[in-house]
Amino acid sequence: MTDTEAPRRGTSRVSRLARRRGVTTGLLLTPPMLWLGVAYLGALAALLVTSLWTQDDFTGQIQRTWTLQNFRDLFTIDVYRTITVRTLSIAALVTVIDAILAFPIALYMAKVASPRVQRLLVIAVLMPLWASYLVKAYAWRGMFSEGGLISWLAAPFGLNTPGYGLVATTIVLAYLWLPFMILPVFAGLQRLPDSLLEASADLGAHSWTTLRRVVLPMAFPALVAGSIFTFSLSMGDYIAVRIVGGTGQLIGTVVYSNIGAANNLPFAAAVATVPVAVMLLYLAVVRRTGALENL
Amino acid sequence: MSTAIALRGLSKHFDEVRAVDDLDLEIADGEFFSMLGPSGSGKTTVLRLIAGFEQPTSGTITLDGEDVSSRPPFARDVNTVFQDYAIFPHMSVRQNVEYGLRVKKVPRADRRRRAEEALATVRLEGYGERRPNQLSGGQRQRVALARALVNRPKVLLLDEPLGALDLKLRREMQIELKEIQRDVGITFVFVTHDQEEALTMSDRIAVFNEGRIEQLATPVELYEAPASAFVAGFVGTSNLLAGDVARSLVGAEGTFVIRPEKVAMSAPEAAPPAGPSTCVARGVVREVVYLGATTHSVVHLDAGVTLTVSHQNTDRSIDAALERRDQPVVLTWQRDHLVSLGGPGPDPVASPEEETA
C-alpha cells in the first residue's frame, strides 16, 4: 500500500507546484498584458469607434451616433484621395531609398568590417537615434534653406536647394528612418553563413553574381522587415513634413489639423485608420516572405 | 602519372600563427589524397588555399601545370564540398546542383541533363524538386557532392564532409565516396581528423602537425611504419618504448613502436622463452576494455611502462580475459614487428592523445 501511495503523493506535489508556477506566470504577465490589451489595442479600438461618430458643425460637440460619413468623405473628396496617394507614394519612395542606402552599409558591416569596425559602425548607425527627432528635423530645415548647406554645395553644379516641399520631406524621412532599415538587414546578413558565399564563388560565380543570386535573395526577408518600419513610420509622420514640407500635406498633417484647428476628432480618427489599414494589408502580404521572423 | 596539384614552399601565416609552414606537396592525377591531422594542424588551411578562399603568405599553387596562386576561387578548376555542406537554402536541390553550370551559362537542356546525372551518381534521383530543409544530413551531404561533381572539376576538395554524420552512415559514405571517385576519375583531396576514415579511403595520406607534414605515405606504410612518435600516436593506437625501457626490453638504444595487435598475452607459466626473434616482458593487467570485436588489455610492465594489448574476440574468451584483471601476465612480440623511430625517446606528455571519433 505504501509503495503505491508514495508516487501518487509525489505527482500531486508536482502538479501543485506546476499549478503554482502557472499562477506566478499569470501574475507576472498580467501588467504587461493589461498594458497591451487596454492601453495599446484599446486605444486602437477607441480610434476606430471615434471614426464612426460625427461632429456637430455648429457646437463642435461630438455626436455619438453611428455613421460612415467620415469614411465617405475620405474616399470621395478629391483632396483627401490625393493626400492618401501622395503619402503612400512618399512612404514607398522613402522605403526604396532606405533599402538602397542600407543594403551596402549593412553588407559592409556584416561581412567585410573587422569586429572592431563593426561595433563602431553599429554605434554610428544608432547614434542619430540618441538625438531628438525635432532637433534633427530643424537641422535639415537649416540645410534646405536659401543659402544653407545644400544650396552652397549645389551651387558649383549650377543647382539650388530643392527648398521646402515634398522632395525635402522625402529626404528627411529617408534620413530619419535609415537606422530602422540598416539594423534588420545587418542582422539578417550576419546570419548568412560565409560558407554560402564561398560555395558560390567556388562554383564559378563572380562577386556580382553571388550578390544577385545568393546574398540578395537571402537578405530579402530582412529588407522587407526593415521596410515595415520605414514604411509605417513614414506614413504616420507629421512633424518632418510640417518643418521641411512647406505647404505640402500628408496624412499626418491632415490628422493633426483636424484635431487642432478644425477640432473634428471623428474625422481625424477616420483619417488615422488609413495607415493602420494599409499596414495590416502590407503585413498580410509580406507575411509569406518570412519577413516577420526577421523583425 | 601527371601531377594534378603541386604546392611549392607554401606558407600561410595568421598574424603570429604559422597555420601552414613552408609546405611542398604533389598530388597525382586521379588520386584519392587525404590530409589527416588534429584540429589546428593546418590541413583545412591548405585546402582553403587550394580552393582560393585564402591567399598564401608565400609560395605557389600549381593546378594542372598552371600557377593559380593569385586567382580568385571562381577562376580555379576545383570545387569544394564544405564541412557544413553550404547548400543554398533558398533554392531547390536541382537549382543547387545546377548553380555552377548556370553561372557558367551552360544551356538549360544541357544543365538539366547533367544535374540529373550528378544526382543519379549520388543516388538522389527524383529529389530535384525537394527543398534543402526537407533533406536529412546524409542527403544534404550527397547534394553538396553532386553540386560539386556536376562541374567536372579537375580536383574535388572535401573538407571533413562526413564529420556531421552518424557512425553507420559515415562508414557507408566512406565506401560510396571511394566508389564515386573511382567512377568519375577526379582527383579527390580529402581533409579529415579521423584516422580510420583516412586509412579506409585514401591512396596516400599526409599527416599534418603544426602546419607541416609529418609523414606522407600510403595507409599501409603509415600504419606499419610510422615515421615519428606523432604519427604512431595519431594513426591507430600504439605503444612507445623509449630510453631505459627500450634498453631493457628491446636491448637497443632508441624509440620503438609496437602495435597492440602484434603483442600476445599469456599466463606466466605458459610463457615462451625469450629468443633472438622474440621479446618477452612480465607485467600486471591493470584494465580490460571490451570493444565488441576486440578486447584491449592495459598491462603495466615490470620494466616501468604501460602497454595496450589487443586481441580478437574470435572465441568467447572474454570471460577469461576479464578475470585477468590484476593478474600477472607475460607479453611477447616478434622483434621484427617493432618499428624503430630512431633518435631519443619522445616526451610522453607531448605524445598526442588517440582520436577514437
Side-chain angles (χ1 to χ4, degrees):
Chain A
M1 202 57 206
T2 39
D3 46 358
T4 53
E5 222 159 57
R8 199 182 301 154
R9 207 163 52 216
T11 42
S12 80
R13 196 181 301 142
V14 166
S15 71
R16 207 183 310 138
L17 211 90
R19 217 179 304 135
R20 199 179 322 147
R21 203 173 296 148
V23 170
T24 318
T25 313
L27 284 174
L28 279 171
L29 270 177
T30 304
M33 290 313 275
L34 273 177
W35 175 257
L36 183 70
V38 177
Y40 204 76
L41 296 177
L44 268 181
L47 184 78
L48 195 65
V49 169
T50 313
S51 70
L52 295 171
W53 289 338
T54 183
Q55 185 213 35
D56 189 312
D57 285 340
F58 286 107
T59 62
Q61 291 293 312
I62 291 172
Q63 293 177 335
R64 295 180 181 181
T65 48
W66 303 108
T67 171
L68 285 170
Q69 190 56 44
N70 290 324
F71 288 99
R72 216 167 287 138
D73 289 348
L74 195 59
F75 290 118
T76 51
I77 299 174
D78 271 352
V79 63
Y80 295 124
R81 220 170 30 214
T82 311
I83 288 173
T84 303
V85 171
R86 180 194 295 157
T87 306
L88 295 184
S89 309
I90 286 185
L93 191 60
V94 166
T95 300
V96 170
I97 292 170
D98 277 348
I100 292 170
L101 290 177
F103 185 74
I105 297 173
L107 187 62
Y108 179 79
M109 284 166 69
K111 290 291 166 208
V112 185
S114 68
R116 204 182 114 80
V117 174
Q118 189 183 77
R119 273 195 300 276
L120 287 174
L121 282 172
V122 169
I123 294 169
V125 167
L126 287 173
M127 207 137 55
L129 300 179
W130 303 347
S132 157
Y133 175 107
L134 266 180
V135 170
K136 287 181 287 182
Y138 273 108
W140 276 99
R141 188 183 166 89
M143 288 201 279
F144 277 118
S145 66
E146 285 300 332
L149 184 68
I150 289 168
S151 70
W152 180 74
L153 282 173
F157 305 100
L159 299 169
N160 199 359
T161 167
Y164 304 133
L166 295 177
V167 174
T169 308
T170 308
I171 292 172
V172 172
L173 289 175
Y175 158 79
L176 284 170
W177 313 138
L178 186 59
F180 296 93
M181 181 64 91
I182 291 178
L183 291 177
V185 177
F186 165 63
L189 288 173
Q190 246 189 336
R191 281 196 297 268
L192 179 71
D194 288 341
S195 63
L196 290 186
L197 310 185
E198 287 179 352
S200 177
D202 186 71
L203 292 165
H206 291 246
S207 307
W208 281 108
T209 314
T210 301
L211 196 69
R212 192 163 54 89
R213 292 203 183 274
V214 178
V215 182
L216 266 178
M218 292 205 65
F220 184 69
L223 278 164
V224 174
S227 79
I228 292 171
F229 292 120
T230 57
F231 192 67
S232 62
L233 288 167
S234 301
M235 234 175 2
D237 186 81
Y238 74 99
I239 300 177
V241 66
R242 278 176 65 85
I243 294 173
V244 297
T247 54
Q249 292 261 32
L250 295 181
I251 287 178
T253 51
V254 173
V255 174
Y256 184 78
S257 56
N258 270 291
I259 292 171
N263 193 25
N264 190 343
L265 203 56
F267 188 68
V271 176
T273 54
V274 172
V276 176
V278 170
M279 256 350 268
L280 284 176
L281 201 71
Y282 188 61
L283 289 179
V285 172
V286 302
R287 200 167 61 107
R288 292 170 42 98
T289 66
L292 303 187
E293 284 81 54
N294 275 274
L295 282 178
Chain B
M1 206 180 257
S2 63
T3 305
I5 301 175
L7 310 179
R8 297 261 175 271
L10 192 67
S11 292
K12 176 67 183 176
H13 300 174
F14 295 102
D15 295 324
E16 292 304 301
V17 182
R18 295 177 173 208
V20 179
D21 196 6
D22 194 23
L23 196 75
D24 288 297
L25 181 62
E26 281 192 7
I27 298 170
D29 219 2
E31 191 174 19
F32 198 122
F33 189 87
S34 288
M35 300 199 279
L36 175 68
S39 55
S41 60
K43 57 194 192 302
T44 296
T45 309
V46 173
L47 199 80
R48 292 177 59 81
L49 284 165
I50 297 172
F53 303 137
E54 308 279 357
Q55 287 298 307
T57 309
S58 62
T60 59
I61 299 162
T62 314
L63 192 66
D64 202 21
E66 277 181 278
D67 185 351
V68 298
S69 312
S70 52
R71 282 199 208 160
F74 52 77
R76 300 185 186 200
D77 193 12
V78 298
N79 284 115
T80 308
V81 176
F82 290 82
Q83 189 168 14
D84 66 354
Y85 313 145
I87 307 282
F88 303 123
H90 60 295
M91 298 180 192
S92 69
V93 167
R94 186 200 310 284
Q95 285 170 324
N96 263 286
V97 175
E98 284 184 3
Y99 188 85
L101 303 174
R102 193 175 182 145
V103 300
K104 285 183 209 106
K105 311 258 189 310
V106 173
R108 190 188 168 85
D110 205 15
R111 215 159 70 199
R112 270 288 149 86
R113 189 180 46 77
R114 280 171 66 178
E116 286 301 327
E117 275 172 21
L119 284 172
T121 308
V122 298
R123 297 199 284 133
L124 277 182
E125 301 101 325
Y127 280 73
E129 301 313 317
R130 299 268 183 113
R131 307 300 293 188
N133 60 12
Q134 295 172 312
L135 301 180
S136 70
Q139 289 169 337
R140 278 177 211 213
Q141 212 275 323
R142 287 161 195 269
V143 174
L145 194 61
R147 187 178 67 175
L149 284 174
V150 79
N151 303 292
R152 294 172 196 150
K154 186 83 199 148
V155 175
L156 187 71
L157 307 172
L158 302 103
D159 184 10
E160 306 211 18
L162 309 180
L165 306 180
D166 63 63
L167 188 63
K168 192 165 154 27
L169 197 55
R170 199 157 74 213
R171 292 237 165 97
E172 283 171 21
M173 278 309 290
Q174 285 169 8
I175 292 166
E176 211 171 304
L177 265 181
K178 183 74 192 166
E179 282 173 4
I180 290 172
Q181 192 261 343
R182 251 189 234 118
D183 289 348
V184 297
I186 294 173
T187 310
F188 274 34
V189 180
F190 190 93
V191 161
T192 181
H193 64 263
D194 184 340
Q195 44 102 7
E196 190 192 302
E197 201 163 278
L199 292 176
T200 308
M201 294 190 286
S202 318
D203 295 322
R204 282 194 305 159
I205 302 170
V207 181
F208 276 72
N209 186 28
E210 295 179 343
R212 291 169 169 276
I213 294 178
E214 286 269 338
Q215 188 173 4
L216 175 61
T218 64
V220 174
E221 281 169 359
L222 209 59
Y223 189 79
E224 301 292 341
S228 68
F230 178 84
V231 175
F234 198 78
V235 181
T237 312
S238 58
N239 299 303
L240 283 183
L241 308 173
D244 290 341
V245 177
R247 221 167 290 132
S248 69
L249 290 180
V250 185
E253 290 290 333
T255 305
F256 299 88
V257 175
I258 181 83
R259 294 291 184 186
E261 67 278 10
K262 306 229 155 91
V263 182
M265 186 165 70
S266 49
E269 56 274 14
S277 64
T278 316
C279 293
V280 175
R282 293 178 171 277
V284 177
V285 177
R286 286 278 173 247
E287 198 60 69
V288 180
V289 183
Y290 176 64
L291 296 172
T294 56
T295 302
H296 279 188
S297 303
V298 180
V299 180
H300 189 76
L301 297 184
D302 299 345
V305 70
T306 303
L307 293 194
T308 303
V309 181
S310 119
H311 61 86
Q312 293 284 322
N313 293 333
T314 42
D315 48 20
R316 306 196 57 167
S317 59
I318 181 60
D319 296 337
L322 284 171
E323 278 168 21
R324 287 227 179 96
R325 199 184 314 243
D326 294 328
Q327 296 298 310
V329 289
V330 170
L331 301 185
T332 52
W333 60 85
Q334 300 300 307
R335 200 173 280 277
D336 54 9
H337 284 158
L338 285 167
V339 179
S340 171
L341 299 177
D347 184 357
V349 183
S351 70
E353 53 201 85
E354 181 203 354
E355 298 235 7
T356 49

